[in-house]
Amino acid sequence: EPEVTQTPSHQVTQMGQEVILRCVPISNHLYFYWYRQILGQKVEFLVSFYNNEISEKSEIFDDQFSVERPDGSNFTLKIRSTKLEDSAMYFCASGGQGGMNTEAFFGQGTRLTVV
Amino acid sequence: AQSVTQLGSHVSVSEGALVLLRCNYSSSVPPYLFWYVQYPNQGLQLLLKYTTGATLVKGINGFEAEFKKSETSFHLTKPSAHMSDAAEYFCAVTVYSGAGSYQLTFGKGTKLSVIP
């Protein structure tokens, strides 16, 4: 069964460092997303990506964040200069052609710890 | 903007008992509604969704939910709880907001414990 794969499963980084979280979406999907879940809080939308550009982003997704689909298979989230409050579980998701009627498949997440 | 409220951050039921997890939403336009389950150290798995049509939707693992527009609710139920149902459950809502956008708004989650 196709699945969304995220690496690494856990990343520890020092405050101020850049991190790149990687995702391999399901191969024939067209829509890609990043969500995050701070420990004990709800899952929050960060950004959606379609047709090689950001289609929507939340207030959380400020200039420190960027996304890229560099090679047609990977979908990455970069945090340029990490802050303590960036510590969270980050989920990648992808969806097929059906838009709202299509299920978004989530990866298992990358737990980012900023120290 | 849409929002989701899940009543009860933690629900405990006995094995074999009815499971009822409550979800209320607010949306200015007809919403699409979802329930996701998260097992420990795993990602989010879709249990069921309501988009259009029949308001009672059935999902995996014996769960079902009913969309009640008049009550702005989408409660999740299962007639008989199993130990394997212990997990965290998230209700989510989305409305169409443009090309390819799938901005899910999640509730805070309800952790379900099943007592043997």
Side-chain angles (χ1 to χ4, degrees):
Chain A
E1 186 175 329
E3 60 179 14
V4 176
T5 306
Q6 290 185 244
T7 55
S9 57
H10 192 179
Q11 170 119 27
V12 180
T13 189
Q14 284 197 323
M15 189 170 55
Q17 295 297 304
E18 174 184 286
V19 294
I20 297 176
L21 308 183
R22 302 182 191 279
C23 170
V24 179
I26 294 172
S27 62
N28 62 347
H29 280 184
L30 302 176
Y31 302 92
F32 313 106
Y33 314 89
W34 283 101
Y35 287 79
R36 81 170 186 191
Q37 184 183 27
I38 295 172
L39 187 64
Q41 298 186 27
K42 63 182 179 181
V43 179
E44 300 172 292
F45 170 78
L46 291 178
V47 65
S48 59
F49 191 87
Y50 170 73
N51 201 25
N52 288 318
E53 61 183 18
I54 291 173
S55 51
E56 194 160 10
K57 59 183 181 179
S58 71
E59 292 176 353
I60 303 167
F61 194 87
D62 62 22
D63 292 344
Q64 295 297 316
F65 291 88
S66 62
V67 289
E68 199 175 37
R69 191 158 154 79
D71 56 11
S73 61
N74 291 288
F75 179 52
T76 61
L77 174 69
K78 181 192 291 186
I79 308 174
R80 190 176 311 136
S81 176
T82 50
K83 303 186 283 286
L84 294 176
E85 53 265 38
D86 293 327
S87 296
M89 181 75 91
Y90 288 81
F91 291 105
C92 173
S94 70
Q97 289 188 349
M100 293 299 101
N101 283 320
T102 303
E103 175 184 348
F105 289 81
F106 283 78
Q108 292 193 335
T110 293
R111 182 170 296 285
L112 176 65
T113 303
V114 182
V115 297
Chain B
Q2 61 267 25
S3 66
V4 175
T5 302
Q6 289 184 242
L7 192 62
S9 59
H10 196 169
V11 170
S12 291
V13 299
S14 298
E15 192 174 15
L18 171 72
V19 176
L20 171 60
L21 304 182
R22 299 178 188 274
C23 172
N24 288 89
Y25 70 90
S26 69
S27 173
S28 57
V29 296
Y32 290 3
L33 295 156
F34 308 80
W35 275 99
Y36 281 85
V37 60
Q38 185 180 29
Y39 297 102
N41 301 315
Q42 295 192 24
L44 297 164
Q45 181 183 6
L46 182 68
L47 270 181
L48 49 78
K49 64 181 179 182
Y50 168 78
T51 53
T52 57
T55 55
L56 180 64
V57 292
K58 296 184 186 297
I60 61 172
N61 302 337
F63 284 93
E64 62 183 38
E66 186 171 11
F67 169 58
K68 291 187 176 180
K69 185 178 177 181
S70 60
E71 298 177 9
T72 61
S73 69
F74 191 58
H75 301 330
L76 181 71
T77 60
K78 182 175 179 178
S80 176
H82 294 162
M83 297 298 295
S84 59
D85 294 328
E88 189 147 21
Y89 293 80
F90 294 91
C91 181
V93 63
T94 190
V95 297
Y96 183 67
S97 55
S101 185
Y102 201 110
Q103 182 184 151
L104 287 167
T105 299
F106 284 86
K108 290 188 176 182
T110 299
K111 190 170 183 178
L112 176 67
S113 298
V114 182
I115 305 164

